[in-house]
Amino acid sequence: MFSINWDSAVNNELNELLRVTAGQAYSALEKTLSKRESGKIGFMDLVFREKEISRVKKLAAKTAKEFDTLIVLGIGGSSLGGKTINAALMNNFDYNRKKVFYADNVDPDYFHELISSLDLKKTAFNVISKSGSTAETMAQFLVVYDLLCKKLGKEEAVKRIIMTTDPKSGALRPLEKSIGFETLEIPQNVGGRFSVLSDVGLFPSAFSGVDVDSLIKGAASVLETGTGKDMEKNPVLKYSLLKYLYCQKGFMNSVMMPYSTKLFELSAWYVQLWAESLGKKGMGQTPIPAIGATDQHSQLQLFMEGPRDKFITFIGVENSRNKTEIPCFEQEIDAFDYLSGHTMQELIRCEMLSTQRALFENGVPSVRIELPELNAENVGALFMFFEMAVAITGDLMEIDAFNQPGVELSKKYTYQMMGRKGY
Ligand code: PA5
């Protein structure tokens, strides 16, 4: 399991404040848990869907037998989690494996380039939309369905499309019966950005060979510790309170900085989770995606000497699968001799520890999450960790972390401009 290192990242005043305000965190946790109990929120219970998970695995295995490539048509919460799993756990340079691509925009050139590169006979499509009305996803679906029908005929087109949507409502659900699309589900009480451990993230992952049981196992173990009432034994609670307190003190930006290229998509997933859940009523922290060590040569200058308004979450991988030794060079050269005999694993780790230390000495607070290794269990654990943290932080801030009223207006204007009836 993963561990969280809190040492030397937070100033003493905050450590003391954490102790004094622990009661506030406990009551926020109570609120979150009572929403779970009443059935208002369902993301924590995604780890208990044995029957559904087994159906997903079967359908993914069948699809993988028939097709080489899966294109996910979806946006926001319907794509970011799956993308994260794909990037973190699959070898993206292995061109012989089952391929999964996420077409999460309506950039016409990008979409055209993607679609026209496909061997349609060997490609399946997973249309993911809880509401069944998201303009971008529906546009993608219409283009793809039309193309498949024209090139392969309706029967073959239907075989290639798997829908993932709300179990009862929305415009896609009736198509299961009327057209015959295979259809997976997103439980009604699970919002898009909390849906990665539902069929949304599991189906594409299982298709590409990810061990989805381990993802769920990791998430379940965080659920167990994350519901505990003892702050010292509940890192989720401590993390939530810490971020909340720093936000109160003016640290309005929340940087997510994994020292792993394979975890960069996690930063994007986190950005959506944190922004869409907490950016309300004039409050919220601006999430900033970063990547170590790359951003040491980019954003770090700002983090170090810019406004003191950033809280950093580092994520380190203690044991990477490949250490990648750095060999000696044929000549002695001071500028890089010292690297020889070490590994890239050592280098990236030293860079993370050094950056955390330097930032701390400069008054920039941070937390470091350590993954013993980058595997499905730990990725599942990270999802549950941040989802629970955002829910608890929402309750600390006294806002509803589960709605997104601020994105509706622009959607309405789009509908109006595109001529949708009633707008
Ligand atoms: O978190 C959310 O609810 C949103 O980001 C949605 O996931 C996104 O808008 C896509 O919605 P839908 O799945 O209904 O197409």
Side-chain angles (χ1 to χ4, degrees):
M1 271 322 318
F2 72 57
S3 58
I4 293 205
N5 179 312
W6 300 92
D7 300 337
S8 70
V10 174
N11 67 39
N12 287 338
E13 185 202 345
L14 242 294
N15 264 329
E16 176 56 14
L17 205 54
L18 269 175
R19 205 181 54 74
V20 176
T21 53
Q24 244 176 298
Y26 297 139
S27 54
L29 175 63
E30 287 296 340
K31 280 190 202 161
T32 302
L33 295 180
S34 68
K35 281 182 208 151
R36 176 190 178 191
E37 221 136 86
S38 70
K40 180 176 187 272
I41 57 174
F43 76 89
M44 290 179 243
D45 296 302
L46 291 174
V47 298
F48 303 117
R49 294 168 78 239
E50 267 169 47
K51 213 173 79 209
E52 291 84 350
I53 294 170
S54 138
R55 180 177 171 224
V56 166
K57 286 196 293 188
K58 271 193 203 132
L59 182 60
K62 179 173 167 271
T63 312
K65 225 175 190 183
E66 292 167 25
F67 303 103
D68 288 345
T69 304
L70 181 73
I71 306 295
V72 177
L73 307 180
I75 197 164
S78 289
S79 75
L80 289 160
K83 262 175 130 174
T84 302
I85 299 172
N86 193 49
L89 300 176
M90 301 314 293
N91 176 349
N92 289 299
F93 299 102
D94 175 0
Y95 300 111
N96 295 318
R97 74 171 177 91
K98 297 283 170 194
K99 290 178 276 297
V100 181
F101 296 112
Y102 287 82
D104 61 356
N105 202 353
V106 279
D107 174 332
D109 287 333
Y110 177 85
F111 197 70
H112 174 79
E113 285 165 15
L114 172 65
I115 295 301
S116 51
S117 75
L118 299 171
D119 177 348
L120 292 177
K121 288 203 174 122
K122 294 187 182 155
T123 306
F125 296 83
N126 184 196
V127 181
I128 308 182
S129 178
K130 179 150 191 231
S131 61
S133 61
T134 300
E136 297 86 344
T137 309
M138 294 309 106
Q140 293 175 337
F141 162 62
L142 292 173
V143 172
V144 163
Y145 184 57
D146 181 64
L147 181 73
L148 288 172
C149 286
K150 281 186 178 138
K151 297 266 181 201
L152 306 175
K154 182 166 172 173
E155 197 181 326
E156 291 299 314
V158 173
K159 273 192 210 159
R160 280 164 176 72
I161 294 183
I162 296 119
M163 299 283 185
T164 306
T165 192
D166 189 279
K168 293 201 179 96
S169 59
L172 295 183
R173 180 51 68 176
L175 305 185
E176 183 182 17
K177 282 216 174 89
S178 63
I179 300 202
F181 294 122
E182 191 78 61
T183 305
L184 294 167
E185 70 176 48
I186 312 169
Q188 285 198 299
N189 59 359
V190 175
R193 59 192 173 275
F194 294 88
S195 70
V196 55
L197 298 169
S198 75
D199 299 2
V200 169
L202 298 189
F203 177 71
S205 303
F207 172 87
S208 59
V210 170
D211 175 1
V212 297
D213 292 322
S214 293
L215 277 172
I216 295 292
K217 186 172 166 210
S221 73
V222 169
L223 178 65
E224 207 179 308
T225 45
T227 46
K229 307 276 161 59
D230 179 350
M231 177 81 85
E232 286 316 310
K233 294 189 186 143
N234 183 343
V236 184
L237 196 58
K238 201 164 176 178
Y239 180 80
S240 313
L241 183 59
L242 193 64
K243 297 245 327 237
Y244 170 72
L245 292 174
Y246 267 112
C247 193
Q248 304 275 85
K249 285 182 155 291
F251 288 77
M252 306 300 288
N253 297 289
S254 165
V255 179
M256 174 58 64
M257 193 164 182
Y259 269 66
S260 158
T261 304
K262 292 179 74 67
L263 282 175
F264 184 61
E265 295 292 346
L266 180 88
S267 299
W269 172 83
Y270 165 86
V271 163
Q272 188 217 9
L273 183 74
W274 222 255
E276 210 167 45
S277 301
L278 302 179
K280 284 159 202 168
K281 296 186 179 170
M283 295 185 281
Q285 273 174 336
T286 303
I288 300 173
I291 183 167
T294 317
D295 266 301
Q296 288 183 203
H297 304 268
S298 170
Q299 300 190 83
L300 184 61
Q301 172 62 37
L302 173 78
F303 300 165
M304 199 70 81
E305 293 187 355
R308 288 285 175 282
D309 59 1
K310 291 166 201 68
F311 181 94
I312 319 252
T313 301
F314 292 100
I315 301 182
V317 180
E318 278 171 331
N319 291 295
S320 45
R321 274 190 294 281
N322 305 287
K323 307 271 178 271
T324 310
E325 283 179 17
I326 306 171
C328 297
F329 190 56
E330 60 194 45
Q331 296 171 23
E332 274 185 30
I333 299 185
D334 273 0
F336 46 79
D337 266 354
Y338 69 98
L339 295 169
S340 305
H342 290 289
T343 62
M344 283 195 184
Q345 154 90 68
E346 281 177 85
L347 177 59
I348 199 163
R349 228 183 135 64
C350 288
E351 297 205 69
M352 175 177 66
L353 298 176
S354 309
T355 303
Q356 186 180 29
R357 181 173 165 187
L359 282 164
F360 177 65
E361 284 170 10
N362 241 6
V364 182
S366 66
V367 153
R368 195 173 81 247
I369 295 178
E370 293 284 8
L371 305 183
E373 55 185 303
L374 188 54
N375 58 22
E377 204 172 325
N378 289 326
V379 170
L382 285 175
F383 286 135
M384 185 59 85
F385 182 87
F386 291 115
E387 285 174 0
M388 290 191 72
V390 88
I392 297 167
T393 308
D395 279 321
L396 279 162
M397 292 164 66
E398 299 185 346
I399 51 146
D400 183 352
F402 300 94
N403 63 6
Q404 53 283 331
V407 302
E408 294 309 317
L409 189 59
S410 80
K411 276 191 199 168
K412 280 184 191 156
Y413 287 148
T414 303
Y415 292 152
Q416 193 185 53
M417 290 174 81
M418 294 292 284
R420 184 174 174 179
K421 260 191 228 148
Y423 288 86

